């Protein structure tokens, strides 16, 4: 918190509840994971199967 120049109250004040904080953290983690895989798949020179978007 100190490196971001935030107080604990300032940080937690962005969320209505602990549940909202957890939802935001999970959404962020899922987005990071998804982007990592998107980059990995896009950079594969020899894909073994077509992109999911072409199947659906």
């Amino acid at each position: 918190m100190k490196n971001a120049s935030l107080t604990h109250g300032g940080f937690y004040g962005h969320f209505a509840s602990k549940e909202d904080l957890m939802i935001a953290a999970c959404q962020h983690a899922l987005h990071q994971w998804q982007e990592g895989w998107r980059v990995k798949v896009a950079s594969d020179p020899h894909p073994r199967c077509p992109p999911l978007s072409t199947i659906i």
Side-chain angles (χ1 to χ4, degrees):
M1 301 276 186
K2 188 176 182 179
N3 290 341
S5 299
L6 288 173
T7 63
H8 288 286
F11 174 76
Y12 291 111
H14 289 282
F15 305 97
S17 66
K18 289 180 183 179
E19 183 176 301
D20 286 348
L21 169 60
M22 188 62 166
I23 289 169
C26 289
Q27 287 174 335
H28 177 74
L30 182 58
H31 178 74
Q32 294 294 329
W33 175 82
Q34 185 180 32
E35 284 301 308
W37 276 106
R38 185 173 289 129
V39 168
K40 175 82 172 154
V41 169
S43 66
D44 187 353
H46 305 291
R48 291 178 271 280
C49 60
L52 186 58
S53 62
T54 62
I55 297 170
I56 295 178

